[in-house]
Amino acid sequence: MSAHAVGQLMLGLASIIVLARVLGLAARKLGQPPVIGEILAGILMGPTLFGAAVSGWLFPTEVRTALAGLANVGLVLFMFIVGYEVDLAAVRGRRRAAVSVSVGSVVLPLGLGTGLAFWLAGHHDVTDVAPFALFMGAAMSVTAFPVLARILADRGMLRTEVGGLALASGAVDDVVAWTLLAGVVALGAGGGEVPWQVLLALPYVLVMFLVVRPLLRRLVAARERAGRLTPDILAVILIGLLLSCWFTEAIGVHAIFGAFLFGAVMPRLGGEALRHETLERLEQLSVLVLLPVFFVIAGLRVDLSTVDGRGLIDLALILAVAITGKFLGAYAGARLNRIDARRSGALATLMNTRGLTEIVILTVGLQLGILPADLFSLMVVMALVTTAMAGPLLAVVYPRRMVEQDAADLRKAALGVPEAYRVLVVVPPGAAAAPVVELATDLAVRREPAEVLLSRVVPYEQSRIEVGSGLSGDLLAMTASMAELHRLAGPVRERGPAAPVFARFSADPAAEVRAQIDVARPDTVVLGGDHPELAGAGPRLVTVIAPPPAGWDTVVVRAGDDADGEAAVRVGADLAAARDAVLVVDAGPRPPRRIVTVLDELGWAGAAGRAAPPSALVVATGPAAGAHLLVRARTEAPAAPVPAPA
């Protein structure tokens, strides 16, 4: 290279790194994976916006040739990282579900993509239809495992069942999809015929797993003796990686598959430190310099300025096939394993991410002449859209409150903690606190196991939380609240249920209670004082609107023929059963069939139409004279019935 070309290369590299970092940071600020911004950086430097003006000045032919070599090195390192990160040990315990989701997310988009390819081939410059159709199907079926793992980490989903299953499914998906693509690439490189050298692929894979993999385990011992990743150990890894890439390229399968396979055979058991340090070293070089170069080389080939009406129709069809095929296939696989609809939808959304992996595949197809340049541009747009939509869709399908609850459930399951019947009581201040907590305990005491969660929301003004604004007084109120809650929890625990206590500052108490309901998922919420703003919050709401009479021995339920009436009868039955009290259902001279059915289900022969004695606890569903408790129905299925006392 001439001195001028070397200078242009340095300027081009600096421009690439700056633009990739700026747009990657902007993407992260918008809740998107940084890879979205980095790919856009490549497209912006290409001919889409400025034609050849920018790219021709920054990247003349000699510089572009050098950048292409760097891009290939970055591509190889990236595929090694992908192979090293894929850990099929994640499939253990989830094998059936992971395979079902993976097969569904590969087979359906593969079939739909292949069918679409035959239609696209009719009006695009496609010479060999068979390899093109298979390539399109394979490209539609890929999931970007690194982007998937990053999304799970950013959203705190790694420690949930959905996150673990997504990782396992993504691992299986990667192995299946890359194996399929290796065959398609070999077919395309051979001009529609599989070259004889490809037959060496199977013995090569066997040698890698049976011979090379055991030898690589010695690197773990070498790293332990040295106490760190030494240059010699890293050199051995890089030499093995490059030789694997050379061999797969020589047999006509493409270097990226050799890199992926070498990463897959790297030692994992006992080699966590080696894995972490190796990936950390290589990711710094790959992510900061070499991958952005790859994005620019790919972006220089993307030209959306020539897309016409037919191109927009093709893009719409590509997006429809890519999104629906992957989503429906993964969703069906999850539902077959009895995963509920929301979590199945979250899995399907995660499996739809394509990101950088798709760009890699498309670039290979373009280099081999399988994929026309105009379709390459449209497929890059598809990769960006399917990756960018994952975050917003997950926020709707699998919101953060569900993530937090699933993570908590998984921790409880790991500790062997059984699921408990849960009553959340929002404890009011003052003398009304003890009767409210006692009623909440009555609702839980007949269940086993049971929890009565005692919560206190301490209001504050947000503007006051700053230095010198009286925060010490707020903290004193919080300390007093916690002391009171612990005192109230003592009698609850003596009666059997567990009684966790917690207090929170909040400028919006109603929003705080809703958040606690979302996280704790109680069966019943008991409130001191009426809170109409919490209606429809989810669980059954029991509001103490008047102090209950001392020593009550009768529960009178004034119920109508609706869901609230049914909930009130169930609450009355719980309270009466807890104290061996009399249950009276005041539902008019002819009780509605719905109420009679509930009483039969509960095993109660509640007296109807009797007058309430002065000492009765009155449960109602709306404003009523003399009512102590107001009940609003839950939006979920009712809890298991409590049998009448013998």
Side-chain angles (χ1 to χ4, degrees):
M1 294 180 68
S2 64
H4 175 71
V6 171
Q8 284 292 106
L9 177 62
M10 299 301 110
L11 177 62
L13 282 173
S15 303
I16 290 169
I17 295 172
V18 169
L19 195 57
R21 298 302 294 173
V22 169
L23 292 184
L25 180 61
R28 185 182 290 277
K29 292 289 186 182
L30 294 174
Q32 294 290 341
V35 68
I36 294 289
E38 293 166 355
I39 294 173
L40 284 176
I43 294 175
L44 290 176
M45 300 183 81
T48 297
L49 294 180
F50 306 107
V54 175
S55 58
W57 178 73
L58 270 179
F59 312 114
T61 303
E62 191 175 5
V63 172
R64 193 174 299 190
T65 302
L67 288 176
L70 289 175
N72 284 326
V73 175
L75 188 57
V76 162
L77 288 178
F78 169 74
M79 289 308 302
F80 169 75
I81 291 169
V82 172
Y84 207 171
E85 286 182 335
V86 172
D87 190 356
L88 291 180
V91 182
R92 293 170 187 168
R94 302 183 178 95
R95 186 174 291 110
R96 179 180 173 183
V99 171
S100 295
V101 173
S102 298
V103 169
S105 68
V106 169
V107 171
L108 186 58
L110 175 66
L112 293 177
T114 302
L116 177 63
F118 282 101
W119 187 84
L120 293 173
H123 55 276
H124 288 274
D125 187 18
V126 176
T127 54
D128 295 323
V129 177
F132 168 71
L134 290 175
F135 179 86
M136 285 291 291
M140 294 288 189
S141 63
V142 167
T143 294
F145 186 83
V147 178
L148 169 65
R150 176 60 60 86
I151 291 174
L152 292 174
D154 289 345
R155 295 183 63 84
M157 294 174 61
L158 288 173
R159 294 186 179 182
T160 66
E161 189 68 23
V162 170
L165 185 55
L167 281 178
S169 302
V172 176
D173 191 296
D174 255 19
V175 172
V176 172
W178 285 110
T179 303
L180 178 64
L181 276 164
V184 174
V185 168
L187 183 65
E193 296 181 0
V194 179
W196 69 267
Q197 296 96 325
V198 175
L199 298 177
L200 297 175
L202 181 59
Y204 176 65
V205 170
L206 293 176
V207 168
M208 290 293 287
F209 276 94
L210 300 179
V211 178
V212 176
R213 190 176 192 177
L215 291 175
L216 289 175
R217 292 197 184 105
R218 299 182 181 180
L219 296 178
V220 177
R223 190 266 166 209
E224 291 299 320
R225 287 194 300 270
R228 62 185 179 90
L229 178 66
T230 64
D232 290 338
I233 297 174
L234 186 59
V236 170
I237 294 173
L238 290 175
I239 291 169
L241 166 63
L242 296 174
L243 289 176
S244 179
C245 294
W246 166 78
F247 186 84
T248 52
E249 189 72 39
I251 65 175
V253 182
H254 205 281
I256 61 173
F257 300 103
F260 179 83
L261 184 60
F262 193 79
V265 300
M266 285 292 292
R268 287 165 173 77
L269 185 62
E272 291 80 7
L274 174 67
R275 183 182 185 185
H276 172 74
E277 293 174 4
T278 302
L279 292 179
E280 186 178 38
R281 296 274 185 90
L282 296 183
E283 281 179 341
Q284 289 177 352
L285 175 64
S286 177
V287 171
L288 282 177
V289 181
L290 298 179
L291 276 182
V293 171
F294 172 77
F295 293 143
V296 167
I297 296 299
L300 293 176
R301 300 185 176 106
V302 174
D303 187 3
L304 299 176
S305 62
T306 60
V307 176
D308 54 11
R310 179 177 288 276
L312 292 176
I313 294 174
D314 290 345
L315 176 59
L317 289 172
I318 288 171
L319 286 171
V321 167
I323 294 171
T324 59
K326 197 77 171 172
F327 188 93
L328 293 178
Y331 184 84
R335 293 294 284 163
L336 285 175
N337 286 273
R338 298 181 179 179
I339 298 172
D340 66 75
R342 274 187 175 271
R343 289 165 179 81
S344 295
L347 277 170
T349 301
L350 288 165
M351 298 301 288
N352 230 325
T353 57
R354 289 175 172 86
L356 175 56
T357 306
E358 184 75 13
I359 306 296
V360 170
I361 294 165
L362 298 177
T363 302
V364 171
L366 185 66
Q367 290 173 347
L368 296 176
I370 301 174
L371 188 64
D374 52 351
L375 280 179
F376 172 82
S377 299
L378 299 182
M379 292 290 285
V380 168
V381 173
M382 179 272 290
L384 289 173
V385 171
T386 54
T387 304
M389 72 182 192
L393 273 181
L394 280 174
V396 176
V397 176
Y398 193 55
R400 192 165 298 279
R401 60 180 176 80
M402 293 185 66
V403 174
E404 293 172 354
Q405 183 59 48
D406 283 357
D409 290 346
L410 201 62
R411 288 194 296 269
K412 286 185 177 181
L415 294 173
V417 178
E419 185 65 21
Y421 181 86
R422 190 170 293 117
V423 177
L424 172 64
V425 51
V426 181
V427 182
V436 171
V437 172
E438 188 175 9
L439 285 171
T441 309
D442 290 337
L443 292 172
V445 74
R446 299 276 295 181
R447 267 80 171 188
E448 189 176 344
E451 284 183 341
V452 178
L453 284 70
L454 279 66
S455 169
R456 170 71 59 76
V457 180
V458 180
Y460 74 91
E461 298 177 9
Q462 286 182 320
S463 60
R464 293 180 58 199
I465 301 301
E466 57 187 9
V467 177
S469 64
L471 180 59
S472 58
D474 289 330
L475 294 177
L476 183 61
M478 175 65 75
T479 303
S481 293
M482 287 298 294
E484 182 184 3
L485 291 179
H486 280 292
R487 178 179 58 78
L488 293 169
V492 179
R493 296 177 182 132
E494 290 176 0
R495 296 181 65 185
V501 301
F502 53 96
R504 298 284 189 274
F505 282 120
S506 178
D508 187 348
E512 174 62 27
V513 173
R514 282 182 174 271
Q516 292 178 10
I517 292 172
D518 287 341
V519 173
R521 291 200 299 187
D523 298 274
T524 301
V525 176
V526 178
L527 306 169
D530 196 13
H531 295 272
E533 70 276 10
L534 295 175
R540 184 172 60 192
L541 296 179
V542 178
T543 305
V544 182
I545 58 175
W552 54 267
D553 56 5
T554 303
V555 178
V556 176
V557 180
R558 293 172 179 165
D561 187 14
D562 56 14
D564 285 349
E566 179 180 338
V569 172
R570 293 181 182 277
V571 167
D574 284 340
L575 296 172
R579 299 206 183 185
D580 290 332
V582 176
L583 175 64
V584 177
V585 178
D586 183 3
R590 297 185 62 184
R593 181 175 296 277
R594 181 173 193 158
I595 301 302
V596 174
T597 301
V598 173
L599 289 171
D600 289 342
E601 176 191 342
L602 298 176
W604 281 90
R610 280 177 43 179
S615 60
L617 177 70
V618 180
V619 180
T621 58
H628 302 100
L629 306 184
L630 179 67
V631 177
R632 296 185 180 93
R634 63 167 55 246
T635 58
E636 304 167 353
V642 176

